[in-house]
Amino acid sequence: MKKRWFITFVLLSFFTLANAQEEGTADFSPIFFPQLKAELPKEVNETSGLFMHNGRLWTHNDSGGKPILFALDTVTFEVVQRITLANVKNKDWEDVCTDGKTVFIGDFGNNKGSRKNLRIFTFPLSNIPKEGDANLIADSITFRFGDQTDFNHIKQGHDYDCEAMFTTEDYLYLFSKGWATGTTRLYRLSKTPGDHVAEVVNGFDSQGLITGADYDIENRILVIVGYVKNIWKPFMYIIFDFDESGVKLSNRRFEMPQWTGAQTEGICFFDYGRCYVTAETSPTITAKVFVVDFRKWIEKNLKNKKE
């Protein structure tokens, strides 16, 4: 009898939890089940940032890789085009974004917290040919974090790393990767080549490491991806109605526990309410690309506003 009661209790608890997660009630976070699309070629096994252009998914490798943007076919996910930035190096490329006119590549990976040469490379999006490989020349934005005064940090024991960037019409925004606290700060930065200061405008308790972001300018929806330190449990945040001041960060967190072990690094919109997410090769999982569909959550958000 005790055994039967225990089994019944477990089943009821499971269905209660599942329902709470599905409806976004109680204190449970909703769960996403990303659709696995493909394993990525070894050429991009350290995929770190993503953007869409000309019907292709563009990515790059992180620290130590060649200064190349790779275009992936969205059916086979094989590399079909390579753009080399001929005048720069890839010290630690961590994210890439575009506002439809300019490409921005963030060379701001900072595991030790001691870098004083943080920069973002830029070039016109129109310089990418429709077909074929090419060599391009990039301008650069150099910057520092306005609130950083200590550069003597221990590797992965500080909060001045950065792996996530997105752009609005007027500014670049960066999310810090909080190794020490598990929180994140949002910085705003000029999009003009030159030397600038990234100023803090907001932040929140991300409960994990933020590694990628993208912004749907038309619908004002911001998506963020990351994973929990040490256990590599992926998660996402959706921020509706992001405003240019960066003040509003009302968010909803989504867990992706079925892909625990995946080092999720890149995210970008390819359609309304749908994103590609990539994970680089980790000790347990090879590099992969997923699709996340959160259109129903957009509709729920709109419905709640009307009510």
Side-chain angles (χ1 to χ4, degrees):
M1 178 64 99
K2 288 184 178 179
K3 185 176 181 181
R4 184 180 300 173
W5 164 249
F6 176 75
I7 293 173
T8 302
F9 173 77
V10 170
L11 289 173
L12 286 172
S13 298
F14 173 79
F15 286 116
T16 301
L17 172 60
N19 184 65
Q21 289 168 335
E22 175 65 20
E23 296 301 323
T25 59
D27 293 324
F28 300 109
S29 298
I31 292 180
F32 269 162
F33 294 91
Q35 177 189 1
L36 176 63
K37 296 299 290 185
E39 290 198 8
L40 292 177
K42 290 183 179 180
E43 195 171 3
V44 291
N45 69 338
E46 291 193 354
T47 172
S48 193
L50 300 174
F51 72 99
M52 287 294 298
H53 173 59
N54 195 26
R56 292 170 175 172
L57 178 63
W58 291 80
T59 190
H60 58 81
N61 292 314
D62 60 16
S63 58
K66 294 181 180 180
I68 299 176
L69 291 172
F70 301 89
L72 304 176
D73 180 271
T74 55
V75 175
T76 65
F77 291 95
E78 294 295 325
V79 176
V80 293
Q81 195 174 6
R82 299 165 186 83
I83 301 299
T84 301
L85 299 192
N87 64 324
V88 306
K89 293 182 179 180
N90 178 350
K91 181 174 178 60
D92 199 350
W93 289 13
E94 290 293 354
D95 208 357
V96 62
C97 62
T98 178
D99 58 7
K101 298 178 182 178
T102 305
V103 177
F104 302 92
I105 304 169
D107 190 347
F108 41 50
N110 191 23
N111 278 339
K112 295 180 180 179
S114 58
R115 280 189 69 177
K116 294 184 179 181
N117 60 346
L118 304 172
R119 62 189 68 236
I120 296 166
F121 301 119
T122 76
F123 64 88
L125 184 64
S126 59
N127 285 2
I128 298 178
K130 289 186 177 181
E131 299 292 341
D133 299 347
N135 292 337
L136 301 180
I137 302 298
D139 288 326
S140 66
I141 298 167
T142 57
F143 71 96
R144 63 180 177 85
F145 295 116
D147 62 335
Q148 184 177 12
T149 58
D150 182 5
F151 293 85
N152 297 309
H153 294 289
I154 300 173
K155 183 177 180 180
Q156 298 183 353
H158 62 94
D159 283 346
Y160 288 98
D161 198 358
C162 182
E163 293 194 10
M165 172 179 63
F166 66 96
T167 180
T168 64
E169 294 177 350
D170 298 323
Y171 296 101
L172 288 169
Y173 288 88
L174 313 176
F175 281 107
S176 65
K177 186 179 182 182
W179 290 106
T181 63
T183 64
T184 188
R185 292 183 301 279
L186 178 65
Y187 293 86
R188 187 167 58 211
L189 183 64
S190 171
K191 296 167 69 172
T192 305
D195 191 33
H196 301 286
V197 176
E199 298 290 357
V200 179
V201 293
N202 210 324
F204 66 98
D205 183 4
S206 54
Q207 302 177 55
L209 304 175
I210 301 300
T211 55
D214 195 27
Y215 182 53
D216 179 344
I217 294 177
E218 181 179 354
N219 295 295
R220 296 171 60 196
I221 300 173
L222 172 62
V223 289
I224 309 168
V225 72
Y227 56 90
V228 177
K229 184 179 177 181
N230 296 328
I231 62 174
W232 291 348
K233 180 181 173 184
F235 60 81
M236 278 183 58
Y237 282 96
I238 299 175
I239 296 175
F240 298 103
D241 297 324
F242 179 79
D243 62 356
E244 273 292 288
S245 68
V247 172
K248 187 173 182 180
L249 283 179
S250 300
N251 60 68
R252 183 155 203 150
R253 181 182 174 107
F254 294 83
E255 306 289 350
M256 297 182 281
Q258 74 279 21
W259 284 110
T260 296
Q263 191 169 334
T264 43
E265 294 279 339
I267 188 168
C268 74
F269 285 96
F270 69 91
D271 196 2
Y272 176 70
R274 293 192 292 170
C275 292
Y276 286 118
V277 174
T278 55
E280 70 174 47
T281 297
S282 72
T284 57
I285 294 179
T286 57
K288 301 182 186 304
V289 58
F290 308 89
V291 167
V292 176
D293 185 341
F294 53 89
R295 287 173 290 183
K296 72 174 183 179
W297 294 103
I298 296 176
E299 297 306 317
K300 282 188 178 184
N301 182 68
L302 295 174
K303 181 180 178 181
N304 291 338
K305 279 185 179 181
K306 292 177 181 178
E307 294 176 349

